[in-house]
């Protein structure tokens, strides 16, 4: 158990991990399930591993890279974070996402609105692929929809 704990702490020293993600990584290395469960639970109780801290770190990193709430939600789900925890963290209606979306749009396409439907669709596809909702995209790309 001591060697397993040291391996888990090495993983956490590199970056934050969700508890389920840490559990999976340790199990892949062939450690016994019961020992892994105990070590991960203990690290969680001691505050060395925290789903909340992991979520905040992932949210900060992904939004800094220009990703929207849908993409971040999917990434959190893939890391084993519960739907309830994600709902507490992400507010899809927050005006901050529109600010982020405008920043991403301007960086990729400039400040001008799309000139024609084909350009509008191209920009919308790109922004959707970055994880923004259709409603958010329409609010930014449609003239007169500005807040």
């Amino acid at each position: 158990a001591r060697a397993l704990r040291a391996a888990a702490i090495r993983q956490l020293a590199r970056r934050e991990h969700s508890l389920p993600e840490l559990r999976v990584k340790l199990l892949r290395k062939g450690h016994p399930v019961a020992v892994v469960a105990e070590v991960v639970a203990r690290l969680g109780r001691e505050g060395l591993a925290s789903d909340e801290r992991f979520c905040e770190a992932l949210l900060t990193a992904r939004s800094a890279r220009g990703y929207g709430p849908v993409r971040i939600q999917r990434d959190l789900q893939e890391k084993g974070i519960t739907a309830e925890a994600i709902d507490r963290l992400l507010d899809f209606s927050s005006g901050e996402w529109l600010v982020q979306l405008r920043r991403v749009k301007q960086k990729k396409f400039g400040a001008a609105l799309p000139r024609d439907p084909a350009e509008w669709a191209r920009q919308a596809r790109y922004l959707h692929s970055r994880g923004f909702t259709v409603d958010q995209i329409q609010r930014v790309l449609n003239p007169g929809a500005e807040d």
Side-chain angles (χ1 to χ4, degrees):
R2 191 173 294 153
L4 181 60
R5 179 180 168 85
I9 290 175
R10 281 193 301 277
Q11 291 288 329
L12 292 168
R14 290 186 192 107
R15 69 167 176 85
E16 290 288 344
H17 288 71
S18 68
L19 296 176
E21 179 185 26
L22 186 58
R23 189 175 301 113
V24 167
K25 282 188 172 191
L26 295 174
L27 287 172
R28 281 188 191 149
K29 293 184 184 278
H31 299 290
V33 174
V35 178
V36 167
E38 174 56 35
V39 167
V40 170
R42 187 169 181 201
L43 290 170
R45 284 191 306 272
E46 293 172 352
L48 295 174
S50 165
D51 282 347
E52 184 176 319
R53 212 171 42 238
F54 169 77
C55 289
E56 290 171 5
L58 190 135
L59 174 63
T60 301
R62 295 295 196 274
S63 62
R65 291 180 59 197
Y67 291 112
V70 176
R71 168 70 184 266
I72 295 170
Q73 177 185 41
R74 188 183 73 226
D75 290 348
L76 288 168
Q77 289 170 338
E78 288 174 358
K79 299 295 186 181
I81 302 300
T82 64
E84 297 81 27
I86 294 171
D87 289 343
R88 283 193 307 272
L89 180 70
L90 291 176
D91 177 11
F92 281 64
S93 63
S94 171
E96 294 176 29
W97 293 117
L98 291 176
V99 171
Q100 173 78 354
L101 175 57
R102 287 183 185 104
R103 192 176 306 126
V104 171
K105 183 232 177 271
Q106 184 165 353
K107 182 178 178 183
K108 179 76 173 175
F109 302 108
L113 292 171
R115 297 176 308 277
D116 55 45
E119 180 63 18
W120 191 98
R122 186 173 80 85
Q123 290 185 22
R125 277 192 307 274
Y126 174 77
L127 296 170
H128 191 263
S129 74
R130 299 295 291 185
F132 293 97
T133 66
V134 172
D135 180 57
Q136 293 165 339
I137 294 167
Q138 288 177 342
R139 291 177 71 182
V140 169
L141 292 184
N142 288 336
E146 299 291 321
D147 293 354

